[in-house]
Amino acid sequence: MTERGDKQTISNLSAGLKSVLLSDQLINQPRQNVEGINKHNGSNPQAASNLSLLQQQLHNEAHQQQQSRITHFFQNQPTEGYTLFSHRSAPNGFKVAIILSELNLPFTTIFLDFNSGEQRAPEFVTINPNARVPALIDHYNENTAIWESGAIILYLVSKFLKENGDCPLWSNNIVEQAQISSWLFFQTSGHAPMIGQALHFRYFHGCPVPSAVERYTDEVRRVYGVIEMALAERREALIMELDVENAAAYSAGTTPISQSRYFDYPVWLVGDRATIADLLFVPWNNVVDRIGINLKVEFPEVYKWTKYMMRRPAVIRALRGD
């Protein structure tokens, strides 16, 4: 979710998503060319045999190259810091990068090449049996591996809290932890998958299925309605607490609450600061316009909330891949 007038460098995530369709088209071109060559050489068995051998050799070299990159990493892992396995068009990977960046933890990102099947490399499947991204290795903790974005993020904030006695994105209060976790699971189970399905049926499905596009886009709107209401309630409570001299007029309805000087003040889902409950939503909010949802028009509280998070230096660094 970037404002059209901004001149910010495009995020790694946005660039990755923009290139997906183009990349798919380019991938198909060599196959089409090969089919044409095969047709041309169909009457020449020797030429066809040589071409087949060349194709196999190129395939083997590409396979060995991608295998060697992953194999080399696992055979020479760092002794400190974190390694994040991600993909340039995977919002869930950028979720983890945001939290690592916010906590100022040293990490390196390996963007896997799905086209060459790096996510299926045996070494990677060993740490993530689902063969997807993200996955994280904690080199400080005997190369402990964690997969699934929600589990990774809970691991990071829990470890940070244990080691430092406090974590700005988490809480040492069990009630707040439960509230934050509720939003975390809502994001990982309801928010991200619905946007993902809407993107799939809108751009990548083999044949048009308008009912699927409509169904998932409507569900995304329902999810944002839940967040919009929660943020609006938080804003109203904040205004009534801080704008005491006008509270009675707001309650009576004689003065619109939008006239309060606190109407654009940042509010958060849990407590009085940004936590993982909020930051988890950023990468997906950043791409939701691709399914035809305009946050600024349809969900103004979500828009303001996202805008504040997108301005955070750690978020900017993470989305750019710095």
Side-chain angles (χ1 to χ4, degrees):
M1 188 221 66
T2 55
E3 294 182 72
R4 297 291 179 244
D6 289 349
K7 295 184 179 179
Q8 298 176 343
T9 302
I10 191 168
S11 74
N12 219 321
L13 169 60
S14 295
L17 282 169
K18 283 187 175 181
S19 67
V20 169
L21 285 174
L22 178 60
S23 299
D24 288 346
Q25 292 165 2
L26 291 175
I27 290 163
N28 290 330
Q29 286 180 6
R31 184 181 304 167
Q32 294 165 357
N33 292 338
V34 168
E35 288 173 354
I37 294 171
N38 284 336
K39 183 177 181 181
H40 177 74
N41 292 326
S43 58
N44 189 334
Q46 184 60 46
S49 176
N50 290 341
L51 178 61
S52 179
L53 289 172
L54 177 60
Q55 287 177 281
Q56 186 62 44
Q57 181 181 353
L58 292 173
H59 174 77
N60 290 341
E61 288 177 357
H63 181 70
Q64 289 170 2
Q65 184 177 6
Q66 66 91 359
Q67 284 293 90
S68 65
R69 185 172 84 112
I70 303 302
T71 300
H72 181 267
F73 167 80
F74 279 94
Q75 291 177 347
N76 302 273
Q77 293 193 47
T79 57
E80 58 185 20
Y82 299 83
T83 297
L84 170 64
F85 291 88
S86 187
H87 188 270
R88 294 190 187 277
S89 63
N92 284 336
F94 285 91
K95 282 186 341 193
V96 177
I98 286 172
I99 303 308
L100 287 163
S101 184
E102 284 277 351
L103 295 177
N104 200 28
L105 298 172
F107 73 100
T108 300
T109 301
I110 295 178
F111 291 105
L112 295 181
D113 182 357
F114 287 179
N115 292 329
S116 62
E118 285 188 327
Q119 77 278 16
R120 293 188 294 274
E123 296 89 350
F124 182 69
V125 174
T126 298
I127 69 165
N128 185 353
N130 194 35
R132 296 291 186 271
V133 294
L136 185 79
I137 297 180
D138 181 355
H139 302 294
Y140 293 118
N141 189 15
E142 299 179 345
N143 293 333
T144 294
I146 314 99
W147 53 290
E148 287 296 308
S149 62
I152 294 170
I153 289 166
L154 285 174
Y155 172 86
L156 289 172
V157 295
S158 298
K159 182 186 177 190
F160 194 97
L161 176 63
K162 182 177 180 180
E163 293 178 348
N164 298 278
D166 185 45
C167 180
L169 306 182
W170 189 225
S171 175
N172 55 12
N173 179 284
I174 192 171
V175 174
E176 278 198 345
Q177 287 181 359
Q179 293 171 341
I180 293 171
S181 294
S182 294
W183 285 109
L184 180 149
F185 288 115
F186 178 73
Q187 196 283 321
T188 57
S189 66
H191 179 250
M194 295 303 102
I195 298 177
Q197 290 296 327
L199 285 167
H200 170 80
F201 282 103
R202 192 178 181 99
Y203 296 108
F204 307 115
H205 199 62
C207 59
V209 186
S211 61
V213 174
E214 182 180 1
R215 181 260 187 273
Y216 287 112
T217 304
D218 286 348
E219 180 61 13
V220 173
R221 283 194 167 91
R222 187 196 69 80
V223 167
Y224 276 120
V226 173
I227 305 170
E228 179 78 8
M229 181 61 70
L231 292 171
E233 289 176 350
R234 298 283 294 174
R235 179 168 307 286
E236 182 176 355
L238 177 74
I239 289 174
M240 298 302 282
E241 177 184 351
L242 298 181
D243 202 354
V244 178
E245 64 272 26
N246 297 308
Y250 298 141
S251 295
T254 55
T255 302
I257 200 169
S258 59
Q259 291 187 11
S260 172
R261 62 183 179 275
Y262 299 105
F263 188 69
D264 288 324
Y265 196 85
V267 292
W268 311 105
L269 290 173
V270 180
D272 58 359
R273 69 192 188 283
T275 67
I276 60 172
D278 307 283
L279 293 164
L280 288 171
F281 289 88
V282 169
W284 288 99
N285 289 359
N286 193 39
V287 301
V288 74
D289 60 324
R290 299 182 185 278
I291 61 171
I293 293 179
N294 186 326
L295 293 181
K296 186 174 184 179
V297 173
E298 299 183 53
F299 304 100
E301 286 293 345
V302 173
Y303 175 80
K304 288 187 286 187
W305 170 64
T306 306
K307 185 171 66 174
Y308 275 111
M309 291 188 285
M310 290 283 289
R311 290 173 175 172
R312 295 168 72 94
V315 171
I316 293 171
R317 291 196 303 271
L319 291 180
R320 288 180 179 172
D322 296 349

